Amino acid sequence: MAIYNTLPGSTFGNESGTSMASPVTAGVAAVLKAYFPKLSAADLKRIIMQSARVHHTKVQVPGTEKLVDFSTLSVTGGVVDMYEAVKLAQKASLQTN
């Protein structure tokens, strides 16, 4: 799945892969930790993974020409969803207080 992002040379464009997904996921973790500081690293991981929205889109397997369902390429089969992550974090923080 393509992520619209900044690119070298002061441009923007669509890229994919862990080089694009990792900063987005780290950003979600940072926002959650900022708003819900009592969440542990394990809580953050669980919330981010549970918040993932599954996308059934055909994508190329890295390094090949083969097309597969995006949901088969990762543990969650999805893309992180900040809104869902915040809702889960709110629920988790209410349960711990």
Side-chain angles (χ1 to χ4, degrees), residues 76-93:
T76 64
V79 175
V80 68
D81 183 323
M82 172 70 91
Y83 179 67
E84 289 300 318
V86 168
K87 289 190 328 188
L88 289 170
Q90 284 175 323
K91 185 187 274 185
S93 68

Side-chain angles (χ1 to χ4, degrees), residues 29-95:
V31 168
L32 294 177
K33 191 66 173 172
Y35 281 93
F36 307 98
K38 293 183 180 179
L39 292 176
S40 68
D43 292 331
L44 292 171
K45 179 180 177 180
R46 177 184 48 77
I47 288 166
I48 290 170
M49 291 181 73
Q50 286 178 349
S51 73
R53 182 171 295 188
V54 176
H55 288 271
H56 294 288
T57 303
K58 294 292 183 190
V59 296
Q60 230 175 353
V61 174
T64 74
E65 298 291 321
K66 183 179 177 185
L67 292 177
V68 297
D69 190 289
F70 175 75
S71 67
T72 66
L73 294 179
S74 71
V75 173
T76 64
V79 175
V80 68
D81 183 323
M82 172 70 91
Y83 179 67
E84 289 300 318
V86 168
K87 289 190 328 188
L88 289 170
Q90 284 175 323
K91 185 187 274 185
S93 68
L94 289 174
Q95 291 172 354

